[in-house]
Amino acid sequence: MTTRLGTTITKKIMEEQRQFPGAKGDFSGMLYELVVALKVIAYEVNKAGLMNILGQAGTTNIQGEIQQKLDVFANTTIIHKMDHTGYLCGMASEEVDDYIPIPDRHPQGGKYVLLFDPLDGSSNIDVNVSIGSIFSIFKKKSTGPKCAAEDFLQPGNQMIAAGYAVYGSSTMFVYSTGLGVHGFTLDPGVGEFILSHPNIKSPKKGGIYSVNEGNRIFWDDKTKKMVDYFVSDDKATGRPYSSRYIGSLVADFHRNLTKGGIFMYPPDKRSPQGKLRLMYEAIPLAFIAEQAGGQAVDATGKRILDIVPTALHQRTALYIGSNDDVETAKKFLV
Ligand code: AHG
Ligand code: MN
Ligand code: MN
């Protein structure tokens, strides 16, 4: 008889929590609930072609983007799974205009705040290309029973955990609590994520650049020069780099994290502030990148985790990935 042995997320979190004296298990409990929501989304994504869940939902989100049915499903799944746990005082989602309050049956509220992009890579849903979910967790800062704006608008350097799921050729869950980055693969036979990529370290320098070059016409000269640098021929520095761009940030990021490289979403004439969302995309992935030995900066070369957010749905330019590659990008930015 074969026995399935391996480290589950719960076991790994419990081990990590021992390094935080006084931890009562709330954090592990909360993460466990979130992982269940992500498994439900993964299940739905995997059979999407069979169910009536592909295509547009007929609605738009706060940012005017057309919502897909799976965007709406993933968003509702996370909210419904997490709002009754007692761990959270509030949530914020890319798909919801304002803060998501916790129902009154938890009048004291919880001590954590959860922000998420429920389904990243919407344009790839219908064509069977990798998509994912991204989240970050902060501690509540305000002293009242309910969450306040200051609890959501915290810079990334205050984050206590971040992670993502990728629904790809396998489903993976990657997270960090500031003690390195750990990757788990969903074993569909038992419905558990098992530790498959402990202590992920991104190569110091990569050989991949990822950017939507269809936007080149809208770039400024700095951006054009930067991308031209990565595609120039210079054997000594490993150039030209290979181009890889899926169009699902989470999947592009995950590939570059493991193989080494840089993902760029620069500002352009159509998106002068950049396209990606600071709170739901840039900050959580910046936390993971740094924990894996990489970097993440904005269009001024500023560390993403040091940006103090002023609005929930704030956008940012993003240069993220291997340490040396982001260092190179910075030379063109500053
Ligand atoms: P979302 O599906 O959550 O709206 O995010 C889409 C984002 C991101 O995943 C991806 O990197 C980027 O949009 C792709 O944008 P372009 O199609 O402009 O390249
Ligand atoms: Mn997204
Ligand atoms: Mn999304």
Side-chain angles (χ1 to χ4, degrees):
M1 192 177 89
T2 52
T3 313
R4 285 176 196 264
L5 289 176
T7 301
T8 61
I9 295 172
T10 308
K11 186 175 173 203
K12 183 74 190 157
I13 290 284
M14 298 300 255
E15 281 169 12
E16 288 191 345
Q17 290 297 288
R18 281 190 212 118
Q19 299 195 39
F20 295 98
K24 296 194 193 78
D26 281 11
F27 179 79
S28 15
M30 174 179 56
L31 205 69
Y32 178 80
E33 296 296 325
L34 179 62
V35 167
V36 174
L38 298 179
K39 282 196 269 194
V40 171
I41 297 167
Y43 179 69
E44 206 68 16
V45 166
N46 280 335
K47 62 186 172 63
L50 300 171
M51 312 293 288
N52 183 26
I53 198 156
L54 290 180
Q56 299 177 357
T59 47
T60 52
N61 66 13
I62 174 82
Q63 293 141 87
E65 297 160 342
I66 293 166
Q67 289 180 307
Q68 305 293 314
K69 287 180 193 166
L70 266 174
D71 283 327
V72 176
F73 174 83
N75 187 54
T76 311
T77 301
I78 295 175
I79 293 172
H80 287 179
K81 189 80 197 85
M82 300 306 291
D83 71 357
H84 67 282
T85 57
Y87 299 124
L88 296 172
C89 76
M91 289 179 270
S93 162
E94 181 190 277
E95 300 297 337
V96 180
D97 302 7
D98 211 341
Y99 313 120
I100 303 161
I102 295 302
D104 280 342
R105 60 180 184 272
H106 290 292
Q108 295 314 308
K111 59 182 180 198
Y112 297 106
V113 180
L114 173 71
L115 298 102
F116 56 93
D117 175 355
L119 218 286
D120 177 67
S122 300
S123 67
N124 284 321
I125 291 174
D126 287 0
V127 287
N128 210 354
V129 172
S130 297
I131 50 182
S133 305
I134 312 172
F135 68 92
S136 40
I137 296 167
F138 291 86
K139 268 210 171 111
K140 179 176 185 285
K141 275 177 70 190
S142 61
T143 49
K146 305 257 176 191
C147 267
E150 64 176 296
D151 298 316
F152 294 94
L153 300 179
Q154 298 190 52
N157 56 32
Q158 298 298 306
M159 183 157 27
I160 61 161
Y164 58 84
V166 192
Y167 315 115
S169 47
S170 60
T171 296
M172 274 196 75
F173 177 79
V174 176
Y175 84 96
S176 177
T177 57
L179 297 172
V181 179
H182 307 293
F184 298 76
T185 302
L186 184 64
D187 181 338
V190 292
E192 274 292 352
F193 281 104
I194 303 297
L195 185 62
S196 52
H197 297 64
N199 208 17
I200 297 172
K201 288 289 170 210
S202 195
K204 193 164 174 292
K205 177 182 174 309
I208 292 173
Y209 78 103
S210 310
V211 68
N212 184 344
E213 290 193 271
N215 290 333
R216 187 181 175 96
I217 193 86
F218 303 118
W219 290 345
D220 61 14
D221 284 347
K222 277 197 291 201
T223 305
K224 286 179 186 160
K225 281 189 185 133
M226 183 194 297
V227 174
D228 288 347
Y229 174 86
F230 284 114
V231 299
S232 314
D233 189 13
D234 179 42
K235 216 171 171 189
T237 51
R239 290 178 289 147
Y241 277 28
S242 283
S243 169
R244 294 284 184 277
Y245 189 77
I246 296 168
S248 299
L249 170 66
V250 70
D252 277 310
F253 173 81
H254 181 72
R255 181 201 54 242
N256 291 3
L257 178 77
T258 43
K259 291 198 160 184
I262 181 167
F263 175 95
M264 306 171 246
Y265 210 112
D268 60 43
K269 284 201 184 101
R270 290 186 302 185
S271 313
Q273 307 305 320
K275 175 185 176 183
L276 298 173
R277 274 62 49 133
L278 179 67
M279 302 308 294
Y280 315 114
E281 296 173 320
I283 283 182
L285 296 185
F287 186 76
I288 299 284
E290 287 197 6
Q291 283 291 316
Q295 295 194 59
V297 298
D298 72 1
T300 64
K302 183 176 173 143
R303 184 182 177 223
I304 290 285
L305 295 183
D306 287 338
I307 297 173
V308 180
T310 53
L312 209 46
H313 297 287
Q314 188 168 332
R315 296 189 187 248
T316 183
L318 181 64
Y319 304 82
I320 189 168
S322 293
N323 183 71
D324 292 3
D325 296 327
V326 177
E327 207 52 46
T328 298
K330 276 171 22 183
K331 294 196 181 107
F332 292 87
L333 294 172
V334 290

